[in-house]
Amino acid sequence: MSPPVAPPGWSRWLVPPAALSVHLSIGQAYAWSVFKPPLESALGLSGTQSALPFQLGIVMLGLSAAFGGTLVERKGPRWAMTVALVCFSSGFLLSALGASLEQYWLIVFGYGFVGGIGLGIGYISPVSTLIKWFPDRPGMATGIAIMGFGGGALIASPWSAQMLESFGGDSSGIALAFLVHGLSYAVFMLLGVLLVRVPRPAAGAPGTARQAPTGPQVSAQQAIRTPQFWLLWIVLCMNVTAGIGILEKAAPMITDFFADTSTPVSVTAAAGFVALLSAANMAGRIGWSSTSDLIGRRNIYRVYLGVGALMYALIALFGDSSKPLFVLCALVILSFYGGGFATIPAYLKDLFGTYQVGAIHGRLLTAWSTAGVLGPLIVNWIADRQEEAGRHGASLYGLSFVIMIGLLVVGFVANELVRPVDPRHHVPAPKEAAHAERQQSEPA
């Protein structure tokens, strides 16, 4: 499948909607916490066990993005979106079968492994294309598309909660909900497959993607040999770990925090909280990434990591005494979480250029794989141990929040150490075309 080239007069503003149709679909992953309580009840799982499909999905997201990044660059966004559609929808169908048969391993395999491949390929499918279409506003361009991944749960969370209420929270009801998800998302993602285009190779007017790359250009193979790549890996990993720790357990977390108060949180309100977090995640992706075009990538990450640590401290100290404070701080943390994802492609473009930025971005997303295990593991494992020790309510999460503060400080320091890439890693301009051909002939 060759990349579809835009015809003359094609508007670059049609590309973000194509990306959004895919990202809004795969963003359902952030609504996984809605399925946790019914799965735990129907199949007798612990909080740590019920997190496995989500964790494996994030691991496979990073790995498939890393190993498939070069292939996505070569085959183009339509091929990548098609692979994402098949894998993501198939993951739900396998999960529906697993729930129906009460075989949890099949849910883990379907949603986590197969669906996770769809997450990774779908996530990176439009990134380099958008940067090429919008070289004048890379933060805004990637933010528009990637906000869809953050906003997917805004749709999926209440939709999933309503289906579980209508179909029932037993294994057959969960299976039917998974089935509806798989079929519906296949249709929606198909819109992006049909709409997406790549820019024409001819030079165009200023502000379009048809300009030749300017500034330092670094290949994906060279990028992973630089300290800048690994410093950004740490920055992304720490920021994601802090955000995903709340997001994966959002519904049960807010219920636990206020279970012993005079105003406990209902199941419906908890699902609403998940949707609010999704809205903050989505808003942060476009808002903060656009802000980074004005104040710079390093400065915006200072905000994500420094203020994020302050928000965690406020929740740890005062969160259980004020529901508005808890919700507000969580929303800010999730806006930084989303903003970090949307800003990282532009940060990579600043350091490594547009040449193979999609492949470099794919390799960097292994940080997300690590964080996808680390964040939920810290929060769920500590909460399970605290519950076994007889604790309840907000005390289940105090230690994990302190750990998150420490991780954000580590990320803050790593961001301060980022410097321009040494010229010895640059691809000389006259050799870029030949080098690109050699790279494309290599296996992804």
Side-chain angles (χ1 to χ4, degrees):
M1 183 182 294
S2 59
V5 178
W10 179 267
S11 173
R12 63 178 179 166
W13 293 101
L14 293 174
V15 180
L20 273 172
S21 72
V22 173
H23 276 236
L24 279 171
S25 299
I26 62 178
Q28 183 282 334
Y30 285 146
W32 178 253
S33 65
V34 175
F35 284 101
K36 282 171 65 70
L39 280 170
E40 290 168 15
S41 176
L43 302 180
L45 307 173
S46 68
T48 302
Q49 290 172 323
S50 67
L52 279 176
F54 177 82
Q55 286 177 293
L56 181 57
I58 299 301
V59 169
M60 293 309 302
L61 186 159
L63 294 178
S64 60
F67 288 104
T70 304
L71 195 59
V72 170
E73 287 277 284
R74 182 166 74 247
K75 290 184 174 292
R78 176 170 287 179
W79 174 88
M81 289 179 178
T82 302
V83 172
L85 184 160
V86 172
C87 291
F88 189 65
S89 296
S90 297
F92 268 114
L93 300 182
L94 287 170
S95 297
L97 180 62
S100 179
L101 299 176
E102 297 188 0
Q103 296 294 316
Y104 188 58
W105 69 268
L106 192 52
I107 298 176
V108 174
F109 174 76
Y111 189 93
F113 184 82
V114 178
I117 295 173
L119 289 178
I121 300 299
Y123 189 85
I124 63 172
S125 62
V127 171
S128 65
T129 302
L130 283 163
I131 288 177
K132 290 169 185 173
W133 276 110
F134 294 86
D136 50 330
R137 286 177 281 182
M140 180 214 68
T142 55
I144 288 175
I146 292 176
M147 77 174 182
F149 194 87
L154 188 62
I155 300 169
S157 179
W159 183 39
S160 300
Q162 182 59 51
M163 275 195 284
L164 290 170
E165 184 178 338
S166 300
F167 301 153
D170 58 1
S171 58
S172 61
I174 296 170
L176 189 53
F178 283 151
L179 177 63
V180 173
H181 275 74
L183 298 177
S184 299
Y185 284 132
V187 173
F188 195 58
M189 293 172 76
L190 184 61
L191 297 177
V193 172
L194 298 176
L195 186 61
V196 73
R197 298 288 187 278
V198 297
R200 297 175 68 81
T208 73
R210 293 180 286 276
Q211 291 175 297
T214 59
Q217 304 295 322
V218 182
S219 70
Q221 199 171 39
Q222 281 296 316
I224 62 174
R225 298 174 182 175
T226 66
Q228 288 82 359
F229 177 90
W230 294 106
L231 287 169
L232 288 188
W233 193 97
I234 293 171
V235 166
L236 184 63
C237 184
M238 299 302 100
N239 192 55
V240 173
T241 299
I244 212 167
I246 286 182
L247 193 57
E248 187 275 334
K249 201 173 173 66
M253 181 183 289
I254 192 171
T255 302
D256 290 337
F257 248 81
F258 300 98
D260 299 329
T261 68
S262 58
T263 56
V265 177
S266 67
V267 173
T268 302
F273 175 61
V274 175
L276 275 178
L277 291 180
S278 179
N281 188 353
M282 179 173 62
R285 289 173 187 242
I286 181 62
W288 293 121
S289 61
S290 297
T291 303
S292 77
D293 287 335
L294 302 175
I295 69 173
R297 319 304 172 196
R298 180 184 290 183
N299 286 333
I300 202 68
Y301 273 96
R302 285 169 174 158
V303 175
Y304 297 157
L305 299 160
V307 179
L310 177 61
M311 293 297 103
Y312 255 115
L314 288 174
I315 293 179
L317 293 172
F318 310 111
D320 60 340
S321 62
S322 173
K323 196 176 296 182
L325 177 66
F326 177 91
V327 172
L328 178 62
C329 290
L331 291 177
V332 172
I333 290 171
L334 264 295
S335 77
F336 292 160
Y337 170 82
F341 277 122
T343 309
I344 205 69
Y347 209 161
L348 292 171
K349 180 256 183 188
D350 293 346
L351 291 170
F352 303 109
T354 57
Y355 178 61
Q356 294 196 336
V357 67
I360 297 171
H361 183 225
R363 285 158 172 77
L364 193 76
L365 290 182
T366 53
W368 194 356
S369 293
T370 303
V373 174
L374 194 59
L377 182 61
I378 290 171
V379 174
N380 284 289
W381 187 84
I382 291 177
D384 287 346
R385 300 292 81 75
Q386 298 284 47
E387 189 172 14
E388 289 173 3
R391 297 183 176 87
H392 51 84
S395 61
L396 297 175
Y397 304 98
L399 177 58
S400 60
F401 285 2
V402 171
I403 294 173
M404 295 300 181
I405 293 171
L407 294 178
L408 286 168
V409 171
V410 171
F412 189 94
V413 172
N415 183 54
E416 293 301 304
L417 296 175
V418 174
R419 297 291 184 271
V421 176
D422 191 293
R424 65 191 173 90
H425 296 290
H426 297 175
V427 177
K431 297 181 181 179
E432 281 186 15
H435 189 78
E437 290 179 4
R438 288 198 303 272
Q439 286 289 319
Q440 290 182 358
S441 66
E442 296 174 0

